[in-house]
Amino acid sequence: LLRPLVVASTVRLFGHAAPTALMTGVLLAQIGELSFVLAKLGVDRGFISGELYGLILGSALISILVNPLWIRGGAAWARRRRATARRPAEPEGRLEGVARLADHVVICGCGRVGSAVVERLRAQEIPYVVIELDAVRIEELRRKGEPYLFGDASSLYILRSAGIERARLLAITYNDPVASELTIRRVLELCPSLKVIARAHRAADVGRLRSAGAAEVVYPEFEAGLEFVRWTLEEIGVSVEGIEDLIRRGRDAFSPVRNPDGPPEHTGPGT
């Protein structure tokens, strides 16, 4: 009983919504499997008695059996709270000015690539907002005073909260192809004409993300290879014009044929 209370209170103190705090506490309420190992070690070393060991095992079993009921009840409470609310709860994040943003860039993910994008946009004074799901990165964004939303970028509610209907561009910087594809499809349901740039982790993901509707797909390993070729050819004296021609032909051979009015016409696995 104490464990879910401590966990829920801690999550709430960090500024998260009450349903989030409740569900976090409930999901972490049951005794973990490590308790069996520690209890057995305690008995073997004489730290605890056999009677206490039995009490620990019995308590663990009860918590494991009861926890699904807690989870079901907590989820039902969260749904009722959402249904009876006059308006949806505000998304968690630094939202000052987001409601007034227009012609801005929505950045999904703020890891190494996303941070570089944020830095350049800030230097150019281009408005932006970050959507991030990693709690550690959220804390960094909070400390820096960056505009952000804490949530899943594939959520229509989060996307609307980021002003996606008024945005100039959506940049997906994380390397999860499944999440990226879902986000692209959700975004284009709301804004069919919005330009989307996505990051591909593997060559096979390029066609997949283009089929979902991404206007541009960046494959970092491929781009790094082109830069390596560029520097190598420069060092052996190949002309700048020749290098640029080779780079252009290599990129054209790799990229699928683009359709400016919609998804690409060719997105086979060979792209």
Side-chain angles (χ1 to χ4, degrees), residues 9-147:
S9 300
T10 303
V11 173
R12 193 75 177 101
L13 286 173
F14 273 89
H16 298 286
T20 301
L22 172 71
M23 291 308 299
T24 304
V26 169
L27 289 169
L28 297 178
Q30 75 179 45
I31 296 178
E33 294 82 354
L34 183 60
S35 63
F36 302 135
V37 179
L38 294 175
K40 184 63 169 62
L41 183 62
V43 171
D44 293 343
R45 299 294 177 87
F47 297 143
I48 62 175
S49 65
E51 183 180 354
L52 181 56
Y53 177 65
L55 183 60
I56 293 173
L57 294 183
S59 300
L61 179 60
I62 290 172
S63 75
I64 292 172
L65 292 175
V66 169
N67 206 52
L69 301 177
W70 282 30
I71 293 174
R72 181 180 300 177
W77 177 84
R79 285 195 297 269
R80 287 196 302 271
R81 181 183 174 90
R82 187 178 299 112
T84 57
R86 294 185 177 180
R87 61 183 180 86
E90 288 295 327
E92 299 177 41
R94 187 179 296 277
L95 303 175
E96 293 86 347
V98 173
R100 298 187 299 274
L101 283 180
D103 205 28
H104 59 293
V105 178
V106 178
I107 305 166
C108 302
C110 199
R112 183 180 57 195
V113 175
S115 297
V117 175
V118 166
E119 183 179 347
R120 294 291 75 194
L121 291 175
R122 189 193 311 114
Q124 296 295 319
E125 298 184 350
I126 297 174
Y128 60 88
V129 61
V130 176
I131 301 176
E132 179 57 74
L133 198 55
D134 188 295
V136 175
R137 291 170 183 163
I138 284 293
E139 197 59 38
E140 294 174 356
L141 291 169
R142 182 181 291 124
R143 286 199 304 268
K144 294 178 180 177
E146 299 286 2

